[in-house]
């Protein structure tokens, strides 16, 4: 029975004789008893569909913040404010960073305690603020270098990213302090990994702690955790810190601001706002360009735009080639378990996924191009408001730093 036949059947009167059309054009009258049986079966299917519980992948949980989104104009020191990025350690604890509405590093020891909405109204997992003084700076201008080392005394400024090493060291991109810093959970000490604390460009080939950055926006560990990629946005460069040798070097960008040149060597191309990067196991680097509204691939030292070749801000292209799609101010990238690139398409209020093997892009969370705070039945019906970060939790679920909603949500990805 095809779709047309089912429509004809449902439109008939209950006692009206029914003629079934076959795919070859033949017609066959149905006895009334058969019609009654089929009607009963269809009613049963509808009732079961309504009563059935939502599948597991449909549940969306709130890890921190409120299901209602931002609940106050002023930041609250007792709550997570403007989360920008999250990461998990080897024991399943989640760490996150606040932007300028809080400037703290926080930890959720038991993220698995999060409940699906609307049950999450009963409470979210406990949040512990483990480093950083709560304050709201008057501007993004840099301060004199912060020299504090005690976790409770450090003044971070505009944290943008967090990454966790295999030994539990928590790295943060202390953006407006122009540094990469590290928090040691066992000792409670915060140390400098890279950057003098003053903006500028210097130090390639030398010690990372003596180098200058101009707003270090991301700090992403390589797969072997022996090095870190740093999006040095003010210098229009992507740099790499060797965490073993303690040195730094530029690996993408010539220091000029502009659209990348397809086919150019990595060190010879301009970059339009290098905002975040990640590296696949095969060595390919994926770089999100904020002002370029694009995703760039750096493979074997050659640059190519793989999402939004035109560079125009907007929304479109899901289900088709990535180069023909549009982005709007992407702020973060990371890889899923299959090696696909998750993109925080921030100004489109959504998370999208680029498949390098197929060259295509798709929507995985949010309701672009408009943002909001409504939590739906799944990630694709849940509204986001300028998400700045995302990652996978130990179970492979998508965790989103829903920044302007002051919350962190988690849900299963549809494959």
């Amino acid at each position: 029975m095809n779709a047309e036949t089912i429509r004809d059947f449902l439109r008939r009167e209950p006692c009206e004789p029914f003629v079934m059309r076959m795919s070859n054009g033949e017609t066959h009258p149905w006895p009334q008893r058969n019609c009654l049986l089929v009607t009963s079966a269809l009613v049963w299917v509808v009732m079961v569909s309504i009563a059935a519980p939502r599948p597991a992948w449909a549940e969306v949980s709130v890890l921190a913040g409120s299901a209602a989104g931002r609940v106050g104009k002023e930041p609250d020191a007792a709550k997570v404010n403007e989360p920008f990025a999250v990461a998990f350690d080897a024991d399943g604890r989640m760490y996150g960073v606040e932007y300028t509405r809080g400037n703290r590093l926080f930890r959720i020891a038991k993220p698995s305690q999060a409940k699906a909405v609307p049950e999450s109204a009963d409470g979210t997992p406990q949040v512990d603020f483990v480093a950083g003084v709560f304050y709201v700076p008057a501007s993004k201008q840099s301060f004199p270098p912060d020299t504090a080392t005690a976790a409770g005394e450090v003044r971070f400024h505009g944290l943008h990213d967090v990454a966790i090493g295999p030994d539990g060291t928590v790295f943060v991109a202390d953006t407006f302090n122009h540094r990469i810093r590290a928090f040691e959970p066992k000792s409670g000490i915060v140390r400098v990994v890279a950057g003098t604390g003053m903006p500028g460009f210097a130090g390639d080939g030398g010690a990372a702690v003596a180098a200058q950055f101009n707003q270090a926006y991301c700090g992403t560990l390589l797969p072997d955790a022996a090095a870190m990629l740093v999006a040095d946005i003010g210098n229009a460069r992507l740099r790499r810190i060797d965490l073993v040798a303690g040195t730094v070097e530029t690996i993408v960008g010539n220091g000029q601001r502009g659209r990348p040149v397809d086919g150019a060597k990595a060190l010879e191309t301009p970059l339009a706002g290098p905002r975040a990067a990640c590296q696949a196991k095969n060595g390919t680097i994926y770089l999100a360009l904020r002002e370029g509204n694009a995703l760039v691939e750096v493979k074997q030292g050659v640059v190519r735009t793989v999402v939004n070749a035109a560079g125009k801000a907007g929304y479109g292209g899901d289900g088709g080639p990535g180069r023909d799609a549009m982005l709007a101010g992407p702020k973060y990238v990371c890889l899923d378990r299959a090696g696909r690139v998750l993109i925080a398409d921030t100004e489109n209020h959504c998370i999208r996924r680029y498949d390098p093997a197929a060259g295509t892009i798709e929507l995985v969370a949010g309701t672009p191009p408009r943002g909001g705070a409504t939590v739906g039945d799944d990630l694709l019906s849940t509204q986001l408001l300028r998400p700045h970060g995302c990652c996978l939790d130990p179970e492979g679920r998508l965790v989103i730093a829903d920044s302007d909603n002051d919350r962190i949500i988690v849900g299963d990805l549809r494959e």
Side-chain angles (χ1 to χ4, degrees):
M1 186 181 289
N2 58 29
E4 183 181 357
T5 301
I6 292 173
R7 286 195 299 269
D8 291 344
F9 181 83
L10 292 175
R11 289 169 180 164
R12 55 179 281 282
E13 295 295 326
C15 296
E16 179 185 348
F18 178 69
V19 177
M20 184 172 70
R21 298 183 182 89
M22 306 301 289
S23 59
N24 60 6
E26 296 180 359
T27 58
H28 296 277
W30 266 26
Q32 188 173 3
R33 63 178 182 274
N34 285 3
C35 294
L36 292 174
L37 287 172
V38 173
T39 300
S40 299
L42 289 174
V43 170
W44 179 85
V45 169
V46 171
M47 291 179 66
V48 169
S49 299
I50 294 174
R54 289 187 302 172
W57 56 259
E59 294 183 348
V60 177
S61 301
V62 177
L63 287 172
S66 169
R70 182 171 292 173
V71 295
K73 183 178 180 180
E74 298 300 324
D76 185 344
K79 299 178 180 179
V80 170
N81 300 277
E82 206 172 18
F84 257 39
V86 292
F88 288 80
D89 69 11
D91 295 320
R93 291 180 291 256
M94 189 188 81
Y95 286 83
V97 292
E98 298 175 312
Y99 187 47
T100 54
R101 283 172 61 89
N103 291 291
R104 296 172 296 181
L105 173 68
F106 61 88
R107 177 176 62 207
I108 297 178
K110 297 181 179 180
S112 60
Q113 291 180 345
K115 299 177 181 179
V117 175
E119 290 81 3
S120 60
D122 297 334
T124 54
Q126 178 179 333
V127 177
D128 298 311
F129 296 95
V130 297
V133 175
F134 173 78
Y135 75 105
V136 180
S139 72
K140 296 180 181 178
Q141 298 301 314
S142 61
F143 300 129
D146 178 32
T147 58
T149 58
E153 299 175 4
V154 169
R155 290 175 67 88
F156 296 124
H157 189 189
L159 295 170
H160 271 76
D161 201 5
V162 57
I164 304 174
D167 63 350
T169 299
V170 182
F171 300 91
V172 297
D174 193 3
T175 303
F176 302 133
N177 278 325
H178 313 286
R179 279 174 164 166
I180 299 295
R181 301 169 89 171
F183 166 68
E184 304 293 350
K186 293 181 180 179
S187 66
I189 297 299
V190 175
R191 60 182 173 86
V192 175
V193 175
T196 64
M198 298 302 291
F201 176 71
D204 271 1
V209 293
Q212 285 183 286
F213 295 80
N214 191 352
Q215 300 186 359
Y217 266 73
C218 93
T220 305
L221 290 172
L222 270 59
D224 63 2
M228 171 176 285
L229 299 178
V230 179
D232 191 1
I233 197 168
N235 286 318
R237 290 176 166 93
L238 179 67
R239 301 169 82 179
R240 179 169 56 202
I241 300 170
D242 186 323
L243 296 173
V244 178
T247 56
V248 65
E249 63 178 334
T250 296
I251 59 172
V252 185
N254 61 8
Q256 301 299 311
R257 294 175 176 85
R259 288 177 54 188
V261 179
D262 278 355
K265 294 181 179 179
L267 291 173
E268 297 177 359
T269 185
L271 294 174
R275 174 58 175 78
C278 61
Q279 181 172 312
K281 291 181 179 179
N282 66 1
T284 301
I285 293 172
Y286 297 97
L287 176 61
L289 301 181
R290 187 180 66 184
E291 281 72 33
N293 305 296
L295 178 70
V296 169
E297 170 190 86
V298 184
K299 193 172 185 178
Q300 297 179 343
V302 176
V303 174
R304 179 175 181 267
T305 299
V306 293
V307 177
N308 198 5
K312 183 179 179 180
Y315 179 75
D318 286 330
R323 284 179 61 85
D324 298 339
M326 299 172 73
L327 300 172
K331 304 293 196 296
Y332 201 77
V333 289
C334 66
L335 297 171
D336 71 7
R337 292 179 173 180
R340 295 167 296 190
V341 186
L342 295 167
I343 308 166
D345 191 1
T346 304
E347 309 309 332
N348 279 322
H349 312 287
C350 65
I351 307 296
R352 298 167 83 181
R353 182 168 60 192
Y354 169 70
D355 185 344
T360 55
I361 191 170
E362 62 180 332
L363 176 69
V364 295
T367 58
R370 297 184 181 275
T374 300
V375 177
D377 288 339
D378 58 16
L379 288 175
L380 285 171
S381 59
T382 293
Q383 292 181 322
L384 307 174
L385 197 59
R386 303 191 69 240
H388 278 73
C390 61
C391 73
L392 298 185
D393 73 3
E395 285 73 46
R397 299 176 300 172
L398 179 61
V399 181
I400 303 171
D402 192 7
S403 307
D404 283 14
N405 276 324
D406 287 343
R407 69 186 180 192
I408 298 167
I409 63 172
V410 58
D412 282 0
L413 281 165
R414 288 189 183 185
E415 292 299 327

